[in-house]
Amino acid sequence: MGSNYIFLCFFNIISLVFVVKGVFGLGINWGLQATHPLPPKIVVKLLKENGFDKVKLFEADPAALMALGKTGIQVMVGIPNDFLASFASNWRNADVWVQQNVSTFISQHGVDIRYVAVGNEPFLKTYKDQYMTTTFPALQNVQAALIKAGLGRQVKATIPLNADVYQSEDGLPSNGNFRTDIHDLMISIVQFLDNNGAPFTVNIYPFLSLYADPNFPIEYAFFDNNSTSPIVDGSITYTNVFDANFDTLISALERNNFTKIPVIIGEVGWPTDGDSHANPQSAQRFNQGLINRIISQQGTPRRKTPPEIYVFGLLDEDNKSTAPGNFERHWGLFNYDGSVKYNLNTGNTGGLVAAKGVRYLARQWCIMSPQADVTDVTTLASAVDYACSYADCTSLGFGSSCGQLDAQSNVSYAFNMYYQTMDQRKGACSFNNLSVVTSVDPSQDSCRFEIQIDLKKQSSTRRSHRSSSTRTKQQSPFLSFILLFVLFVLYLLA
């Protein structure tokens, strides 16, 4: 009995250490589509201080990979969809990429690369079959290149897929199967993954279920077991959509005789802005429930073994496309600068820890001048449209964090976002005499008027081709409508 007691005490101590250090598969996605990215070394320190021991990159960014070297953080490195055709058509293209972005960083820089993500959600219906014929051949060639490099056992090639590759005709998870239009292709891919000891990777987003369907039961999106609309599937009752979605996949795999293949959740999370359901309170509720499951190693009714999970995402990205919705730039657990959005217990004591060593531009903002002629609606509309075409104004939408601003403050927000995005350069706050620089913070309640990161002071920052302060001109038609409405109100008040 004494020896058993000592063993149990030892086991409990080890378990506690594991929980504190967050090693129960606490993975996270690190996106790079920001106009003012944090230096990779600061980001890696942020990961380690918050207990994330696994990270997923959407591209093989050299600076990010270098910073991850010899840190003990496991890495999944991504291949963008734009590369699929090239890799599918010529094995040597895949071989060169593996040599440059996997072999080199493992052997010379000590990066612990475990997976290569071939494409990202290539079978989305919105892509209209664009990657249908190239994804599987690209996967095969990347796997062949890994084997040639002597990494076939150490690094596994997988494909992060959207949850729409499978379905259930009657909505019951037990009747899950792969989509009819890609069924045979999916079987070939899963068989290949299984033969090579690679996992099936899927992205599951309960938030998107809520966003897409106004009648979706809100409580069913969370893990609190408060849903009044559970799904009863035989002896199993599903009280949240995550379990139901995941088990629909498990049923699809089992139906096609793949009962043992491991599954990775490549992306799952909740945004904090850009929609009425996207706010810090809901994000904290969802992500805390998710991380509690990870720490307690909780599986689902059909698969008790917990999946490896990568939370989406680490930081907000102000240069992402808003095609899916304005929320797309606000998935981060942390703000763009690594500051904490909300408290979250990842197993470390004291909650999330903010990034350290961040350097900012001068403490000044660009706002609408009190002397501006608000009756000149055409000039004002042109200035606001221009500002929001080159800066991120997604927080101004209805139900968003700055949706409650009055008309003049709306214009000020747009002007300031442009001013900060352009590094407070001379002339960046000159909107035809409509604006002025102030040292008084115009932030209101939940609406934060940002001051951007100073890229010149962050001397260690190495920006990739997708992380530039010169952003692509882009504006949501819905957001344009909101801004025009604001300008109309200004005119009426003049």
Side-chain angles (χ1 to χ4, degrees):
M1 181 176 293
S3 61
N4 287 341
Y5 176 77
I6 293 172
F7 172 78
L8 287 174
C9 289
F10 175 77
F11 177 80
N12 288 334
I13 292 171
I14 294 298
S15 298
L16 180 60
V17 170
F18 281 177
V19 170
V20 169
K21 290 191 175 181
V23 297
F24 282 147
L26 281 180
I28 197 159
N29 287 267
W30 175 7
L32 302 171
Q33 296 185 53
T35 60
H36 293 67
L38 281 175
K41 289 184 179 179
I42 288 180
V43 175
V44 169
K45 188 175 182 181
L46 181 70
L47 290 169
K48 292 182 71 66
E49 290 187 345
N50 286 283
F52 291 99
D53 62 342
K54 302 180 182 183
V55 68
K56 179 165 162 277
L57 301 174
F58 291 91
E59 56 188 302
D61 182 77
L65 287 169
M66 287 284 287
L68 288 164
K70 300 177 182 179
T71 61
I73 297 175
Q74 298 176 13
V75 179
M76 179 187 292
V77 60
I79 297 173
N81 289 339
D82 293 344
F83 289 24
L84 295 178
S86 171
F87 287 11
S89 64
N90 192 328
W91 172 82
R92 294 190 181 279
N93 294 332
D95 185 44
V96 169
W97 187 92
V98 167
Q99 290 180 38
Q100 293 178 344
N101 299 293
V102 181
S103 300
T104 297
F105 283 101
I106 289 176
S107 62
Q108 297 183 20
H109 304 291
V111 183
D112 188 7
I113 298 176
R114 298 295 182 94
Y115 303 106
V116 172
V118 182
N120 188 52
E121 301 184 340
F123 302 146
L124 273 176
K125 292 182 179 180
T126 53
Y127 288 145
K128 299 180 179 179
D129 300 342
Q130 182 178 354
Y131 307 109
M132 197 67 72
T133 60
T134 56
T135 300
F136 186 29
L139 173 69
Q140 292 172 306
N141 286 340
V142 169
Q143 182 64 46
L146 290 170
I147 293 172
K148 175 178 176 290
L151 298 171
R153 292 182 180 274
Q154 178 181 346
V155 183
K156 301 299 181 181
T158 184
I159 304 173
L161 296 162
N162 186 271
D164 72 351
V165 299
Y166 51 89
Q167 60 189 10
S168 172
E169 295 294 340
D170 60 4
L172 296 180
S174 60
N175 290 326
N177 204 347
F178 294 112
R179 244 169 51 201
T180 55
D181 61 313
I182 58 172
H183 183 274
D184 293 345
L185 175 59
M186 285 302 305
I187 297 305
S188 297
I189 288 173
V190 179
Q191 185 67 68
F192 183 82
L193 294 173
D194 197 37
N195 290 344
N196 286 280
F200 186 105
T201 304
V202 63
N203 301 337
I204 297 178
Y205 281 108
F207 169 80
L208 294 182
S209 298
L210 183 60
Y211 176 76
D213 182 2
N215 297 315
F216 188 88
I218 294 177
E219 293 298 322
Y220 192 57
F222 298 94
F223 298 106
D224 306 328
N225 297 322
N226 292 332
S227 176
T228 58
S229 304
I231 290 180
V232 178
D233 187 4
S235 61
I236 300 173
T237 298
Y238 290 94
T239 59
N240 68 82
V241 68
F242 178 89
D243 281 350
N245 192 309
F246 185 87
D247 277 2
T248 302
L249 167 61
I250 299 303
S251 294
L253 291 169
E254 292 175 345
R255 188 176 305 280
N256 293 282
N257 300 315
F258 300 105
T259 59
K260 302 294 184 181
I261 187 169
V263 176
I264 288 177
I265 306 297
E267 298 176 28
V268 58
W270 200 281
T272 54
D273 209 351
D275 181 73
S276 59
H277 292 298
N279 54 69
Q281 294 75 28
S282 294
Q284 193 277 339
R285 180 185 177 192
F286 179 85
N287 284 323
Q288 189 62 69
L290 176 69
I291 288 177
N292 289 346
R293 292 168 62 100
I294 296 172
I295 293 174
S296 64
Q297 302 185 80
Q298 180 179 342
T300 64
R302 293 191 72 91
R303 181 167 286 193
K304 302 301 182 182
T305 303
E308 188 173 340
I309 294 176
Y310 292 80
V311 179
F312 191 83
L314 182 63
L315 301 160
D316 281 355
E317 301 172 75
D318 67 342
N319 212 14
K320 289 191 71 176
S321 168
T322 57
N326 288 336
F327 54 81
E328 195 64 18
R329 294 174 177 170
H330 304 279
W331 288 96
L333 297 184
F334 298 86
N335 291 303
Y336 70 100
D337 58 353
S339 58
V340 177
K341 290 184 178 181
Y342 50 83
N343 186 49
L344 198 64
N345 179 14
T346 63
N348 295 332
T349 58
L352 294 179
V353 178
K356 298 179 177 65
V358 182
R359 307 288 292 276
Y360 296 90
L361 296 170
R363 188 173 172 79
Q364 57 191 32
W365 298 262
C366 179
I367 62 171
M368 182 177 173
S369 172
Q371 286 75 44
D373 181 8
V374 297
T375 62
D376 188 356
V377 176
T378 301
T379 301
L380 196 57
S382 177
V384 170
D385 184 65
Y386 181 83
C388 289
S389 293
Y390 291 96
D392 179 23
C393 295
T394 53
S395 294
L396 289 174
F398 292 124
S400 299
S401 63
C402 299
Q404 82 287 355
L405 296 179
D406 61 26
Q408 185 166 342
S409 295
N410 266 270
V411 176
S412 293
Y413 185 91
F415 285 174
N416 185 64
M417 289 305 296
Y418 178 84
Y419 181 59
Q420 302 297 337
T421 301
M422 298 300 155
D423 301 308
Q424 298 184 3
R425 289 197 292 263
K426 184 178 180 180
C429 189
S430 299
F431 292 95
N432 298 312
N433 297 318
L434 296 171
S435 56
V436 65
V437 174
T438 179
S439 59
V440 179
D441 188 352
S443 299
Q444 301 178 33
D445 300 324
S446 65
C447 183
R448 175 186 180 188
F449 278 61
E450 296 177 357
I451 293 178
Q452 263 295 0
I453 296 169
D454 190 331
L455 295 178
K456 293 180 180 179
K457 291 181 180 178
Q458 303 285 189
S459 58
S460 61
T461 299
R462 294 175 57 189
R463 290 183 289 168
S464 72
H465 66 284
R466 297 178 68 185
S467 301
S468 170
S469 60
T470 303
R471 64 181 299 128
T472 303
K473 185 175 182 180
Q474 185 181 111
Q475 180 61 48
S476 162
F478 178 67
L479 192 55
S480 294
F481 168 78
I482 294 173
L483 293 173
L484 287 173
F485 174 77
V486 166
L487 295 175
F488 176 69
V489 172
L490 266 178
Y491 176 76
L492 293 178
L493 294 175

